Amino acid sequence: MTPLKNLSPYIKNKYGGYTITRDSIGMSPAEVYKMSYNGDEAVYLKRSARKYRNTTYDVKREYDIIKWLSAKLNLPGIIHYEETENFNTLLMSGMKGVDLETLKENISINEYIDYYVRSLKIIQSIDLKQCPYDNRVNNRLNELSYLIENGLADINVDGWEDDTEFTDSTELYNYLTANKPEEDPVFSHGDLCNSNIFIDNGKIGFIDLGRCGTADKWMDIAFCVREIRELNNAPRWTDLFFNKLGIAPDWEKIKYFILLDELF
């Protein structure tokens, strides 16, 4: 049983008897808890501290995106959302199926790549009309400036990619500011990694939606490339990925968006 403090009266009264387990896998500073009771279907509580409000770590963004996209994509269901002095808190239903990170142990690399290609096509097919959030480079850099100034950015270079040539956050931030690409906006997941893609009898769903919004099409593609390379770095697999997508790689943009993610 994980102690969970600062709960609102509503959540205490409704879920006080539930077994609560904290998710220690995700990298986001938002807290995620699995709440279950006597074998019932689990409920997931996700909350973000006040200092993250108006950033892509704010669970209000996830709440807004799910409301906007619930009829268009396979997503967690909203059970309850609230804002208190210290936290924004979102209660969601779980996703059916298994995440791609787990599934990769039992499928071929070819099938793994197929799921990324399908996921990208689903995400990028969303019409941007009335999209609630703009995550293009200028806005992400403004957010990053706030995170750095407030000690909230990931400045630990030991956790950066092995081929990242920068040695500190200031150097990297200056590079990102000076080399902003011309953007081709589409709807973007913003963190399209294998743990955020769920497969249920071939149907694809998505979680961890706080970074969803308008962004350059190469942002999500860059994350897919990174994930495929982590599984197998042989060039033939990224070649296969782009063959399946039917486009030629833009390696400059791929590099840029992987570098942009280093500080988040």
Side-chain angles (χ1 to χ4, degrees):
M1 188 92 166
T2 300
L4 187 49
K5 300 178 180 179
N6 299 311
L7 291 176
S8 70
Y10 171 86
I11 296 176
K12 282 182 181 178
N13 291 337
K14 191 168 180 63
Y15 299 100
Y18 279 55
T19 299
I20 302 172
T21 306
R22 183 162 185 178
D23 173 22
S24 59
I25 297 174
M27 300 299 290
S28 167
E31 301 172 23
V32 180
Y33 299 88
K34 180 180 180 181
M35 304 165 64
S36 55
Y37 184 78
N38 287 345
D40 290 346
E41 201 167 298
V43 171
Y44 291 84
L45 182 150
K46 187 172 184 178
R47 69 182 187 182
S48 53
R50 183 181 183 87
K51 61 188 175 182
Y52 291 107
R53 285 183 181 172
N54 301 315
T55 73
T56 53
Y57 296 128
D58 186 353
V59 299
K60 182 182 187 303
R61 294 177 62 106
E62 191 151 7
Y63 169 67
D64 290 340
I65 287 290
I66 292 174
K67 283 199 305 178
W68 182 63
L69 279 181
S70 60
K72 302 176 179 131
L73 294 179
N74 181 23
L75 307 173
I78 295 171
I79 297 171
H80 174 71
Y81 173 75
E82 65 182 31
E83 298 180 7
T84 60
E85 181 179 357
N86 295 314
F87 294 98
N88 289 347
T89 302
L90 177 61
L91 289 170
M92 298 172 286
S93 61
M95 292 289 291
K96 293 182 179 179
V98 62
D99 60 88
L100 186 56
E101 182 176 20
T102 302
L103 188 63
K104 72 181 181 183
E105 305 299 329
N106 300 305
I107 59 175
S108 67
I109 299 179
N110 186 71
E111 291 172 296
Y112 184 69
I113 292 170
D114 271 339
Y115 279 123
Y116 272 117
V117 171
R118 287 177 58 196
S119 297
L120 272 170
K121 289 182 176 180
I122 291 169
I123 289 288
Q124 294 186 352
S125 72
I126 298 297
D127 191 338
L128 288 175
K129 187 177 181 181
Q130 298 181 332
C131 180
Y133 292 106
D134 187 334
N135 296 333
R136 280 174 280 195
V137 168
N138 280 338
N139 288 339
R140 294 310 304 276
L141 289 175
N142 288 338
E143 176 189 4
L144 191 50
S145 176
Y146 167 82
L147 294 173
I148 292 172
E149 288 173 5
N150 289 276
L152 303 174
D154 180 10
I155 61 173
N156 179 13
V157 297
D158 292 337
W160 293 359
E161 298 294 310
D162 293 340
D163 59 353
T164 297
E165 65 266 36
F166 300 95
T167 57
D168 64 66
S169 59
T170 301
E171 184 184 8
L172 176 51
Y173 181 81
N174 289 340
Y175 170 85
L176 294 168
T177 302
N179 292 276
K180 292 183 288 187
E182 183 176 343
E183 295 177 86
D184 181 6
V186 297
F187 183 75
S188 165
H189 180 281
D191 192 13
L192 198 61
C193 60
N194 54 27
S195 60
N196 291 335
I197 299 170
F198 271 69
I199 314 298
D200 179 34
N201 292 321
K203 184 179 181 181
I204 294 177
F206 304 93
I207 66 167
D208 203 4
L209 305 157
R211 293 185 185 177
C212 284
T214 301
D216 185 79
K217 77 174 187 178
W218 288 93
M219 177 181 285
D220 283 347
I221 293 172
F223 291 174
C224 294
V225 168
R226 182 175 62 188
E227 296 283 305
I228 293 166
R229 283 174 168 173
E230 286 181 0
L231 182 63
N232 191 311
N233 200 28
R236 67 191 179 108
W237 298 117
T238 49
D239 290 345
L240 177 63
F241 171 67
F242 285 109
N243 285 339
K244 288 177 180 288
L245 278 180
I247 60 175
D250 185 332
W251 292 113
E252 285 302 311
K253 280 195 172 183
I254 290 169
K255 174 186 174 182
Y256 183 91
F257 286 112
I258 290 175
L259 287 172
L260 178 61
D261 194 51
E262 294 285 38
L263 291 163
F264 285 95

